[in-house]
Amino acid sequence: MYPANALRNLAISHSATEYVFYVDADMYPPFSEAKTWKSLSRSIERAKQLSGSERCDKCAFVTPLFNRASEKVPGYPKTKAELKKRVADPSSDIQPCLLLSHLVVDHRRWFAASEAYEIEYAEDMEPYFIVPSAAPLMNDAYAGYGRDKCAYSRDLNADGFRFFVLEGLFVINLLDPPESLNQIIRRAADMPIPDRLFLNIEFHKNDLEHGHIRYPASYSSRSVSYSGQTANGHSKYKFTARDKDTQHSENQDHTSVKDGNNSGTSSSDTKIVKVDGDSEIETDGGTGCGTVLADFKFTSIPDLVSSIGINVQPKRKDLIVESLMKLYGVHTYVEMPSASVAGSLRIMLPLMQPEAAISVLPESHSDDREIRGIFENYRSKGTVYEVLKTVVADHPGPKLYSLNSGQLSGEKARELANAILRQASNDDVILIDTGSETKPDECWLHLFADMCDQRLDWRMYRKYDYVIMKSGALRKAPPETVPEAPGCLDSFQPRSGFGTDVILFSKNRPLQTFAFVDSLKTYATGLNKVWLLVKTEDAIFDDGYDLVVSCFSRFVSIEVIKESTSESFGRQILNIIRSSSAYSILIAVDEIIWLRPFDLGVVSSLLHDCQDAAMFQLRLGENIRVFDRRDYSDRFRSFRFDDDYLTYYPRRLPYDFGYVLNVDGVVSRRQDLLEEFESFLPACSTPGCVEQGWIMHRLHNASRRWHLMYRNSRMVNNMGMADGRVADRYESPADGSYQLARVLVGERKRIDVEQFANQNRNHQNTHQSKPVQFVPLEC
């Protein structure tokens, strides 16, 4: 173990400067100390203006991070203008760091900025900071590899810091070779401690579950008036299991309520007093009706504790809903008052695979019920209690009730909550979204009393700005029973005569399309035909797609279809599917690069013989590390004829499981697509509509069926060829689109797909942001 944070703290304790720069040893800041101070001074003044404060004691200044993938172009850019020029070059070895932990700086905004700007804290962000030397020290529990800067960002935010991006400074990271992370993992395996400790996973998980600031015992915070620090240096907001048990035994009469949002509420403000032997904190936390609360505050409602495992970002209601439904086995979602389920929940709910997603609008102008797939809208002229009776009669199973109280008065919110409580069973869960403005503490005290008046055994919890109510007896649902695996697992043998057509969507991207077909030629067999559905906005893009056809027409039949103005995008797709003579269809987008050999003839033959399997996923594989394979070992089976082919059962896997939601990279039976696309595809005018329809209809219908995949992923979506149209959100056609098209058409160069595949074959993410190399076009 290497005590990096402890050594950082030791170094800072000897610092004589007013500010310190938290940066790693492999980061290069290409500017002088004088330039740094000049830019920092301007930014401090700007931060004072933005914060309306005369001091900037709690300002953290962020330096954007850029990655340098190689040294093929000598030297480093010294100025922002030089950097911008290097980044704009498609063949450049320097690009913005597109990891989610660094995207908070918004690189496009930074390039356009002439002065510092403020950004909001985001969970798990880890930029590089310049902070006052009196800022909190780093948590020295993090002594292994990783997540230390995430924890420090969280600590600064909890301590009231605001974050400002320096408009003129940046740092460049010379990327480690691809094998370096594997070496770290191997070193972790050789350590005499669990790798979850060496890689700081346990500390990070603990911080996320509690959401509280936690400083090391050996150092005291030097920030001014930090109220969360006790005399002995410990944070009074965080408890280990042993600490909590000790405190409980020492304080049999009362114990402090922990503030899950670090609002600064003193632990002495609110007491929970035992009544009739009821425990203050049960295994999943919460406040029960066997307690008397004095000086009740919204922030005093106890958080959901670590054992229930809801680790999501603030403001992500969709993820909280998913976690609650999966955790308690709740299969019906009811939202009120609402005319229809909207926003991210409308996209995410089908992936959560509920029996129904219901919106309830009482006291409406009509009485009707509208059903569209899993979405049902109930409108009623009557009261909320009356319409909920109808909902319960139609859907008798466990429900998650979501009450949108943000725009309601306290009195109206209590009325709706009481109606839900009257209808709810002990298998149901109630989630109250408080919105942007939290109701007065008195409202929550009355609501707690209402809950106890109707449901004596229920408890109240809080997660960020959400209040949760449920029976204290409701615990984690048992794992869902997995149906019997497809019968073809042991008997299947590949047969000839089953081809697959590819339908490829592309807009102003002939270079990427060339790489797609080039890698397809290298790695795919059993291919019948490629249909290119393209949209072009300049002759150079037409010339590029013509090159694709002329270079690969001897490899496979390619038909280019221009996006029509007379019929919808979706109807054109349906016409292609109808015209196809293949048994199966692979739908794809132009930024895909294929990485490993795959046989579309075998895939199509599998889909023909294994009719109880829904589809074949080329994107997924055991190398995709977005889920714990051990937790879902009963969901995977290998085929006897070749153990490189697997079948898996997706229902209630984490929604992030390898981008199951994407339509691209999936092989389906042509007849299945015709039957399911007819209901929504003709109305679609964009690929985004196609993908949303895929999620809401095709995936939801297939959620209770086994799926097929290779043991290792065959493809990756490469975002490293950023042309501005997607990554930077420009209006199309973007300058980057022209630049990349000129590489193919003007310079007669192509992407070296073999080199890219060799470097990325063991990828762990479904989407990469890797630079590419160009080689001469030989066709």
Side-chain angles (χ1 to χ4, degrees):
M1 299 285 279
Y2 186 79
N5 279 1
L7 293 176
R8 284 172 173 143
N9 292 342
L10 181 62
I12 291 169
S13 69
H14 290 278
S15 171
T17 60
E18 187 176 354
Y19 286 87
V20 293
F21 188 5
Y22 281 94
V23 69
D24 290 346
D26 56 350
M27 301 295 158
Y28 177 66
F31 37 78
S32 66
E33 182 180 349
K35 181 180 177 181
T36 303
W37 178 247
K38 183 177 179 181
S39 178
L40 181 61
S41 299
R42 289 198 307 267
S43 298
I44 291 172
E45 294 307 312
R46 175 61 177 161
K48 290 178 181 178
Q49 293 175 8
L50 293 173
S51 61
S53 172
E54 296 182 358
R55 298 176 61 82
C56 213
D57 295 335
K58 293 197 174 184
C59 296
F61 297 96
V62 174
T63 53
L65 175 64
F66 293 81
N67 290 330
R68 188 179 187 189
S70 69
E71 295 183 346
K72 61 183 179 182
V73 179
Y76 289 87
K78 302 289 186 181
T79 65
K80 188 174 180 177
E82 292 177 10
L83 175 67
K84 187 174 184 178
K85 185 176 180 181
R86 284 276 284 271
V87 169
D89 182 355
S91 62
S92 172
D93 58 346
I94 297 180
Q95 291 295 327
C97 179
L98 297 180
L99 295 174
L100 291 176
S101 51
H102 288 274
L103 286 180
V104 67
V105 304
D106 189 348
H107 292 86
R108 186 184 178 200
R109 180 183 180 187
W110 178 78
F111 273 122
S114 59
E115 57 186 1
Y117 56 91
E118 186 171 7
I119 57 175
E120 292 186 2
Y121 168 77
E123 190 66 62
D124 271 358
M125 75 178 199
E126 54 169 359
Y128 294 95
F129 295 115
I130 296 177
V131 296
S133 59
L137 296 174
M138 299 191 80
N139 188 339
D140 62 7
Y142 287 75
Y145 176 83
R147 298 177 173 85
D148 49 338
K149 293 186 295 296
C150 297
Y152 190 59
S153 299
R154 188 164 48 250
D155 286 355
L156 290 178
N157 179 63
D159 203 31
F161 271 70
R162 297 171 68 168
F163 301 92
F164 302 89
V165 180
L166 293 162
E167 88 288 354
L169 305 183
F170 55 91
V171 291
I172 297 176
N173 175 25
L174 184 59
L175 288 179
D176 298 324
E179 65 273 10
S180 62
L181 182 58
N182 291 331
Q183 291 174 354
I184 291 170
I185 301 298
R186 286 196 296 270
R187 196 172 80 201
D190 295 335
M191 296 290 288
I193 60 172
D195 60 356
R196 294 182 66 82
L197 292 180
F198 176 80
L199 299 175
N200 288 324
I201 295 173
E202 287 296 343
F203 305 124
H204 183 65
K205 179 182 177 183
N206 187 45
D207 284 347
L208 287 181
E209 286 171 347
H210 289 277
H212 304 155
I213 191 168
R214 177 182 184 273
Y215 289 122
S218 53
Y219 294 94
S220 296
S221 169
R222 294 187 294 168
S223 62
V224 179
S225 301
Y226 174 58
S227 61
Q229 195 79 20
T230 57
N232 64 1
H234 286 285
S235 166
K236 64 190 174 188
Y237 292 132
K238 180 151 289 189
F239 298 85
T240 64
R242 184 178 62 182
D243 293 334
K244 194 158 56 179
D245 291 343
T246 301
Q247 178 152 341
H248 175 70
S249 63
E250 292 175 352
N251 298 279
Q252 287 296 316
D253 292 331
H254 63 269
T255 183
S256 300
V257 178
K258 300 193 293 294
D259 175 6
N261 266 13
N262 290 314
S263 64
T265 303
S266 169
S267 61
S268 61
D269 287 346
T270 306
K271 301 290 192 299
I272 294 182
V273 183
K274 286 177 56 180
V275 176
D276 298 329
D278 183 32
S279 171
E280 296 96 302
I281 303 295
E282 289 195 348
T283 57
D284 62 353
T287 299
C289 298
T291 61
V292 176
L293 284 81
D295 301 323
F296 186 92
K297 299 180 184 299
F298 172 77
T299 53
S300 72
I301 302 171
D303 195 6
L304 286 161
V305 301
S306 60
S307 63
I308 67 105
I310 296 184
N311 306 320
V312 298
Q313 300 173 4
K315 310 301 182 185
R316 287 300 304 270
K317 179 179 178 179
D318 53 347
L319 299 186
I320 290 178
V321 167
E322 181 206 15
S323 298
L324 289 171
M325 293 180 74
K326 188 162 53 180
L327 182 67
Y328 297 115
V330 180
H331 302 295
T332 299
Y333 175 79
V334 182
E335 181 175 281
M336 56 183 290
S338 173
S340 65
V341 177
S344 60
L345 272 168
R346 190 166 186 85
I347 297 175
M348 301 305 304
L349 274 169
L351 299 174
M352 299 172 199
Q353 302 156 349
E355 307 299 341
I358 300 167
S359 62
V360 174
L361 189 63
E363 302 173 5
S364 180
H365 298 297
S366 62
D367 288 299
D368 60 73
R369 177 187 176 193
E370 179 184 34
I371 301 177
R372 292 187 177 181
I374 66 166
F375 293 98
E376 302 182 21
N377 302 329
Y378 284 76
R379 297 179 179 87
S380 173
K381 296 179 181 178
T383 65
V384 64
Y385 178 73
E386 292 169 339
V387 69
L388 282 179
K389 284 179 64 176
T390 305
V391 170
V392 171
D394 293 339
H395 300 276
K399 285 171 281 296
L400 172 62
Y401 292 95
S402 175
L403 174 56
N404 300 322
S405 71
Q407 302 300 317
L408 304 177
S409 66
E411 183 178 353
K412 190 65 177 179
R414 283 184 62 199
E415 176 190 336
L416 299 186
N418 273 279
I420 296 173
L421 284 165
R422 288 172 64 189
Q423 286 293 337
S425 74
N426 283 339
D427 294 325
D428 298 338
V429 179
I430 300 174
L431 176 69
I432 302 178
D433 182 353
T434 65
S436 57
E437 295 185 7
T438 303
K439 301 286 185 292
D441 292 327
E442 182 181 6
C443 175
W444 300 108
L445 177 59
H446 286 309
L447 187 56
F448 177 73
D450 293 341
M451 179 190 78
C452 294
D453 185 48
Q454 297 191 53
R455 303 281 177 176
L456 189 60
D457 64 332
W458 277 43
R459 304 181 71 83
M460 181 179 283
Y461 313 76
R462 182 168 62 92
K463 192 70 177 176
Y464 304 121
D465 294 331
Y466 302 91
V467 170
I468 299 160
M469 297 188 291
K470 70 175 186 66
S471 167
L474 183 61
R475 293 290 181 262
K476 289 185 180 181
E480 186 176 47
T481 302
V482 178
E484 187 175 347
C488 58
L489 274 173
D490 295 329
S491 61
F492 173 79
Q493 289 296 326
R495 293 185 291 159
S496 60
F498 294 95
T500 300
D501 278 3
V502 175
I503 301 178
L504 180 65
F505 308 149
S506 186
K507 177 182 176 182
N508 297 337
R509 284 179 164 179
L511 178 67
Q512 292 93 321
T513 300
F514 196 102
F516 176 99
V517 182
D518 196 6
S519 59
L520 197 67
K521 176 185 176 183
T522 303
Y523 296 112
T525 54
L527 182 61
N528 184 59
K529 183 175 181 176
V530 174
W531 304 79
L532 287 182
L533 181 53
V534 303
K535 181 175 182 178
T536 60
E537 295 172 312
D538 195 285
I540 191 172
F541 304 119
D542 292 312
D543 294 342
Y545 290 117
D546 289 343
L547 263 177
V548 173
V549 175
S550 64
C551 287
F552 296 109
S553 57
R554 275 184 269 178
F555 156 62
V556 66
S557 173
I558 302 177
E559 182 170 345
V560 178
I561 299 175
K562 284 287 196 74
E563 189 172 331
S564 173
T565 56
S566 60
E567 61 180 348
S568 71
F569 177 75
R571 191 167 292 282
Q572 283 190 282
I573 297 173
L574 270 177
N575 290 338
I576 293 173
I577 296 173
R578 292 191 186 105
S579 301
S580 170
S581 61
Y583 182 79
S584 303
I585 301 290
L586 166 60
I587 296 178
V589 295
D590 50 25
E591 66 190 16
I592 289 174
I593 294 181
W594 303 97
L595 305 173
R596 289 186 177 87
F598 59 103
D599 192 330
L600 289 171
V602 174
V603 168
S604 190
S605 179
L606 268 168
L607 289 171
H608 177 271
D609 288 10
C610 302
Q611 288 292 319
D612 44 357
M615 59 190 77
F616 198 109
Q617 303 271 1
L618 293 171
R619 176 186 300 279
L620 305 184
E622 290 182 347
N623 55 303
I624 305 297
R625 302 299 184 190
V626 296
F627 72 106
D628 190 337
R629 179 72 161 76
R630 295 167 298 180
D631 292 344
Y632 300 98
S633 58
D634 62 331
R635 310 288 182 96
F636 294 83
R637 304 280 191 277
S638 58
F639 279 83
R640 175 173 290 182
F641 87 99
D642 187 341
D643 64 4
D644 194 33
Y645 292 83
L646 303 177
T647 183
Y648 76 95
Y649 185 70
R651 183 168 169 80
R652 301 231 168 246
L653 286 172
Y655 108 83
D656 270 338
F657 174 53
Y659 277 81
V660 173
L661 72 165
N662 281 58
V663 63
D664 53 310
V666 177
V667 185
S668 302
R669 301 175 190 87
R670 186 177 71 91
Q671 190 59 38
D672 289 350
L673 294 182
L674 285 174
E675 291 173 1
E676 297 195 26
F677 279 7
E678 285 282 4
S679 63
F680 70 91
L681 206 56
C684 283
S685 60
T686 65
C689 172
V690 175
E691 186 154 87
Q692 286 190 30
W694 173 272
I695 293 170
M696 293 172 59
H697 297 272
R698 178 107 173 96
L699 278 183
H700 182 261
N701 293 340
S703 67
R704 290 186 178 85
R705 298 172 65 188
W706 287 78
H707 292 226
L708 307 172
M709 72 181 199
Y710 279 106
R711 188 170 296 278
N712 289 293
S713 170
R714 262 45 187 178
M715 55 164 279
V716 68
N717 284 59
N718 183 39
M719 305 299 292
M721 297 177 288
D723 56 13
R725 190 166 61 78
V726 174
D728 299 328
R729 309 296 183 192
Y730 288 119
E731 295 291 331
S732 354
D735 291 341
S737 298
Y738 282 113
Q739 290 174 7
L740 293 179
R742 282 193 288 268
V743 171
L744 178 67
V745 177
E747 301 177 26
R748 303 286 293 184
K749 291 182 179 180
R750 63 178 176 86
I751 293 167
D752 189 342
V753 294
E754 184 176 355
Q755 178 268 344
F756 182 88
N758 288 336
Q759 286 191 348
N760 295 278
R761 194 163 284 128
N762 294 319
H763 66 289
Q764 296 185 350
N765 300 307
T766 61
H767 288 62
Q768 299 282 76
S769 297
K770 298 294 183 66
V772 297
Q773 294 184 10
F774 300 113
V775 294
L777 191 65
E778 297 171 353
C779 66

